[in-house]
Amino acid sequence: MPRYKLTVEYDGGPFVGWQRQPNGPTVQALLEDAIFAMSGERVQVQGAGRTDSGVHALGQVAHFDLMSEMPADKVQAALNFHLKPNPIALPSVEIAPAKFHARFSATWRRYRYRILNRRAPPTLDRGHVWHVPARLDLEAMADAAAVLQGHHDFDSFRSTACQAPSSVRTLDLLRVGRDGEEIQIDVGARSFLHNQVRILVGTLRLVGRGQWSRRDVEEALAARDRTRGGPTAPPQGLCLMEVRYELGGGDEGNAEISTDEE
């Protein structure tokens, strides 16, 4: 039984999230429907991360199994055809080792959050950035981000609905940069808590506006209390950029279970 590894790109705007649910269209359900249209087989697609409604992806990874083997390029062409006109595309499809698991074999995930920092609202990027008209202090945001990078208890920076048994995580990357009128916040870790990236961004925006200082961020982190953290930034600025795996595919038995951001 061959296992197929997919790289999935999608605009999250029309969807209620990645994971199949009864209250609206999801990326997982549309992929599974496309596989059925291609092969006549009902399968379950496993994703590397369960993005929420409105969150986008350029580098989501998923896998599924088929009873009979088809060439990877044929699968890619057929699924891209059956996914039309939904804003979902598969830039790559490959046959993976039997032990590969899109979620449990993942060793690192990177998200990017985009803030359009100008007075005029977005046009072409509408639905893909958070519009913040007031000028943000990039240096203050980067300085406060240094407090949050590393190994910490992020209980102040996760959703109250988060079901992860531990709120301890290691942020290997938390970088704040500016590209013209856009501020980009890149966050990388093995796994994330629910809404963690968006709460971190909401907190850094307070710093950028001068409403919070670096000391406020330090105190919020130490409090381990959601009421002490910043607000949750809106979903449309967030995009899952990449998921990394060990060479050779990885073994799900050795991987940490991810609660997944958004």
Side-chain angles (χ1 to χ4, degrees), residues 2-262:
R3 176 158 292 187
Y4 293 89
K5 175 185 175 184
L6 318 174
T7 301
V8 191
E9 178 181 308
Y10 52 88
D11 181 334
F15 307 118
V16 296
W18 162 269
Q19 191 170 14
R20 179 186 285 274
Q21 47 194 298
N23 61 324
T26 67
V27 180
Q28 181 187 36
L30 287 165
L31 277 169
E32 290 172 354
D33 290 346
I35 294 166
F36 178 74
M38 172 191 72
S39 66
E41 295 183 34
R42 281 291 178 194
V43 304
Q44 183 177 16
V45 175
Q46 300 280 351
R50 296 189 293 251
T51 55
D52 275 352
S53 177
V55 177
H56 315 292
L58 285 175
Q60 174 72 282
V61 175
H63 82 265
F64 69 92
D65 299 330
L66 284 180
M67 293 298 294
S68 56
E69 184 167 340
M70 299 173 60
D73 59 339
K74 301 288 187 183
V75 171
Q76 181 185 16
L79 293 183
N80 279 324
F81 174 80
H82 289 296
L83 285 166
K84 296 176 182 178
N86 300 290
I88 307 171
L90 307 180
S92 72
V93 175
E94 59 187 278
I95 296 178
K99 289 185 177 182
F100 172 81
H101 194 287
R103 184 181 179 194
F104 298 132
S105 299
T107 59
W108 202 69
R109 298 161 170 85
R110 178 172 65 90
Y111 286 87
R112 171 170 290 174
Y113 197 98
R114 300 170 60 198
I115 299 174
L116 182 64
N117 191 209
R118 70 180 192 189
R119 294 186 64 183
T123 53
L124 297 180
D125 285 327
R126 186 177 180 181
H128 292 265
V129 295
W130 181 16
H131 179 222
V132 178
R135 183 75 175 179
L136 297 177
D137 185 335
L138 186 75
E139 291 186 4
M141 293 172 70
D143 183 54
V147 172
L148 299 165
Q149 187 167 338
H151 187 73
H152 303 289
D153 186 329
F154 286 97
D155 207 17
S156 298
F157 301 92
R158 65 167 171 170
S159 166
T160 55
C162 181
Q163 298 179 353
S166 171
S167 52
V168 176
R169 291 292 186 273
T170 301
L171 292 187
D172 304 302
L173 171 70
L174 182 52
R175 181 177 60 226
V176 183
R178 182 183 289 274
D179 183 6
E181 298 172 320
E182 185 173 298
I183 291 176
Q184 298 177 348
I185 301 175
D186 286 288
V187 190
R190 180 167 189 164
S191 64
F192 292 92
L193 301 163
H194 189 217
N195 284 168
Q196 183 181 1
V197 173
R198 289 165 57 194
I199 296 169
L200 293 174
V201 171
T203 300
L204 292 176
R205 175 186 172 273
L206 291 178
V207 175
R209 289 291 311 277
Q211 296 169 276
W212 275 33
S213 67
R214 177 188 173 111
R215 180 60 181 167
D216 291 319
V217 176
E218 291 172 340
E219 291 177 352
L221 182 64
R224 299 192 292 276
D225 179 351
R226 178 64 192 99
T227 65
R228 299 288 300 278
T232 305
Q236 68 268 17
L238 187 63
C239 184
L240 175 56
M241 302 297 291
E242 63 173 316
V243 183
R244 295 181 187 173
Y245 298 88
E246 297 287 352
L247 293 176
D251 185 339
E252 63 184 88
N254 296 326
E256 172 185 332
I257 295 178
S258 167
T259 306
D260 300 328
E261 167 67 17
E262 309 317 329

